[in-house]
Amino acid sequence: MENKVLAIAAGNEITEKDLNTIITRYPQEQRGALQSEDKKSQLIEQLISFELMSKFGKEIELDKTQEYKDAIENISKEVITSMAINKILADVTVTDEEVKKYYEDNKESFGEPATVSAKHILVKTEEEAKKAKEEIANGTLSFGDAAMKYSTCPSKEQGGSLGEFSRGMMVPEFEDAAFTAEIGVVSDPVKTQFGYHLIVVDAKNEASVKSFDEVKDGVVNQLLQQNQHTKYDQILKELEGKYGVERK
């Protein structure tokens, strides 16, 4: 594949490979935005400036200074350390048996709680709640219209909808009524610290456990990280014994 020359700066060629190398240093989600001709031109200008500054730095012999030599030594140490860590961790794996066992031993952590989807109307007095319920029951108003007319909760703008929620997300009196209510039946007034509620449940979802296939990738990643940490700590202890460490 031809490595097209995009520019020549200070006698050095800047190629498509150089440009692509720069692009790959950006996070994956940003790379797409760098594919336009305008963005590529900006990156090429950056590469040109690097070459010009590098040439200038050598001309004034910055590469012969102690500061430069110290910086190169530090960079070299960082690179070789990173390569050593990658080499140590490269052979760390997770078996299917390990993943399956972890799932079976920790099923409770993959549980989905029971939830309900409900709407409510919040008013200050029990009399107001009973009046609203009566108008819904005789067909004068739909539940949503009654919410708009009577409710003091901002949810009235969505017909009283609170969406889906599990236990622990609402005050106890409210959630007890919601989780025991029949679907589609408007509750009697429920008193809480906020006032009186009429509640109607649209749907219920029983508690469940995510399947192995749903969580497998996440478990693999978690176990891989655990195994890598274990291997890294093990190697560090071995190297400490081999090379010696004196902590002061």
Side-chain angles (χ1 to χ4, degrees), residues 102-184:
Y102 184 89
Y103 173 76
E104 294 296 339
D105 291 346
N106 298 275
K107 268 191 175 181
E108 68 281 355
S109 66
F110 302 112
E112 292 285 351
T115 62
V116 298
S117 296
K119 297 191 286 283
H120 84 137
I121 296 170
L122 174 61
V123 293
K124 292 182 178 180
T125 67
E126 186 174 10
E127 289 70 27
E128 287 179 287
K130 287 180 177 179
K131 182 180 179 182
K133 182 175 181 178
E134 183 179 347
E135 292 191 22
I136 295 168
N138 64 29
T140 303
L141 293 173
S142 67
F143 192 93
D145 290 338
M148 283 294 295
K149 180 178 178 180
Y150 291 103
S151 186
T152 61
C153 178
S155 65
K156 69 180 183 180
E157 300 296 335
Q158 290 78 45
S161 177
L162 296 171
E164 185 177 301
F165 55 90
S166 58
R167 285 191 176 273
M169 297 176 68
M170 303 292 180
V171 293
E173 304 91 339
F174 186 94
E175 68 179 28
D176 285 343
F179 275 89
T180 56
E182 292 184 42
I183 294 175

Side-chain angles (χ1 to χ4, degrees), residues 206-234:
E206 297 298 326
S208 62
V209 175
K210 289 183 178 179
S211 70
F212 176 70
D213 288 338
E214 287 180 289
V215 303
K216 181 179 178 181
D217 289 345
V219 173
V220 167
N221 290 333
Q222 181 177 340
L223 291 181
L224 185 60
Q225 289 181 20
Q226 290 179 3
N227 290 352
Q228 287 175 336
H229 282 303
T230 299
K231 179 67 175 289
Y232 183 74
D233 291 342
Q234 174 192 336

Side-chain angles (χ1 to χ4, degrees), residues 6-7 14 19 37 39-49:
L6 304 175
I14 297 171
L19 177 62
E37 291 305 314
K39 291 295 184 182
K40 285 183 177 180
S41 293
Q42 292 179 28
L43 291 176
I44 292 169
E45 291 303 316
Q46 287 184 25
L47 289 169
I48 289 172
S49 68

Side-chain angles (χ1 to χ4, degrees), residues 10-29:
N12 293 320
E13 293 182 346
I14 297 171
T15 66
E16 281 190 343
K17 183 178 179 181
D18 297 325
L19 177 62
N20 290 331
T21 298
I22 291 293
I23 290 174
T24 57
R25 292 175 185 170
Y26 284 82
Q28 182 69 44
E29 62 272 15

